[in-house]
């Protein structure tokens, strides 16, 4: 399915005004109650649910680790896997927005998550420069030409 293009005039390609993200009522606490934070599976720090730049907090801002909780729609929390997800790489949209690519260690599914405004820049830069540290990458790139 092709990605919808964003327009600079605030509308969509069909001429309608763009809808803001809807806040979903996500239950993070023990026993299914509403919580204000969650515990990271990677670094074990408490992570607040509110984040600048996104409505659906889905990864730790310190180590970028996540849980496989969303199935198809961000914030739906409908996945049955609940496996640990590690950050593999970064991707950048045409409008300059950075995305973290996660892979589930249980089912090997890939997911793409928007970065939040309070994410630690050091792990993000490490992910972005990881291909540059591979000494064999230029050789493989030349061999594919």
């Amino acid at each position: 399915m092709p990605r919808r293009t964003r327009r600079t005039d605030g509308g969509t390609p069909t001429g309608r005004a763009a809808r803001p993200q809807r806040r979903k009522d996500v239950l993070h606490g023990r026993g299914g109650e509403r919580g204000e934070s969650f515990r990271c599976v990677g670094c074990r720090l408490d992570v607040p649910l509110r984040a600048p730049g996104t409505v659906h907090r889905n990864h730790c801002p310190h180590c970028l680790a996540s849980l496989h909780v969303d199935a198809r729609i961000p914030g739906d929390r409908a996945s049955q896997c609940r496996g640990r997800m590690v950050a593999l790489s970064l991707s950048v949209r045409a409008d300059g927005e950075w995305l973290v690519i996660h892979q589930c260690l249980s089912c090997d599914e890939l997911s793409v998550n928007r970065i939040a405004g309070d994410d630690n820049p050091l792990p993000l830069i490490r992910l972005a420069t990881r291909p540059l540290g591979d000494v064999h990458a230029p050789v493989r790139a030349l061999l594919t030409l």
Side-chain angles (χ1 to χ4, degrees):
M1 181 160 93
R3 179 166 161 69
R4 294 182 190 151
T5 58
R6 292 185 184 206
R7 292 183 38 173
T8 57
D9 61 359
T12 61
T14 59
R16 294 180 292 177
R19 285 189 329 197
Q21 283 187 343
R22 291 181 296 150
R23 180 165 294 283
K24 292 186 176 66
D25 192 19
V26 181
L27 306 177
H28 285 282
R30 292 183 182 165
E33 70 270 5
R34 189 173 295 111
E36 292 298 319
S37 66
F38 64 90
R39 174 85 31 109
C40 173
V41 295
C43 61
R44 306 299 296 163
L45 293 174
D46 286 331
V47 178
L49 291 178
R50 300 194 189 277
T54 184
V55 176
H56 314 291
R57 164 81 77 177
N58 51 12
H59 63 271
C60 175
H62 308 289
C63 67
L64 305 179
S66 181
L67 278 181
H68 191 185
V69 292
D70 292 341
R72 182 110 173 120
I73 302 169
D76 66 0
R77 307 304 194 240
S79 175
Q80 300 298 318
C81 179
R82 302 286 194 246
R84 182 178 175 174
M85 299 187 85
V86 294
L88 285 183
S89 183
L90 288 176
S91 178
V92 181
R93 288 185 179 164
D95 62 357
E97 182 178 27
W98 284 26
L99 306 166
V100 179
I101 301 171
H102 284 99
Q103 182 177 21
C104 181
L105 296 178
S106 297
C107 67
D108 289 332
E109 185 174 326
L110 295 175
S111 71
V112 179
N113 299 310
R114 297 170 58 191
I115 65 166
D118 61 347
D119 284 349
N120 188 351
L122 183 60
L124 291 171
I125 296 300
R126 284 183 181 157
L127 278 177
T129 58
R130 184 182 290 169
L132 300 175
D134 185 5
V135 295
H136 300 294
V139 175
R140 285 193 304 244
L142 287 175
L143 290 176
T144 58
L145 292 176

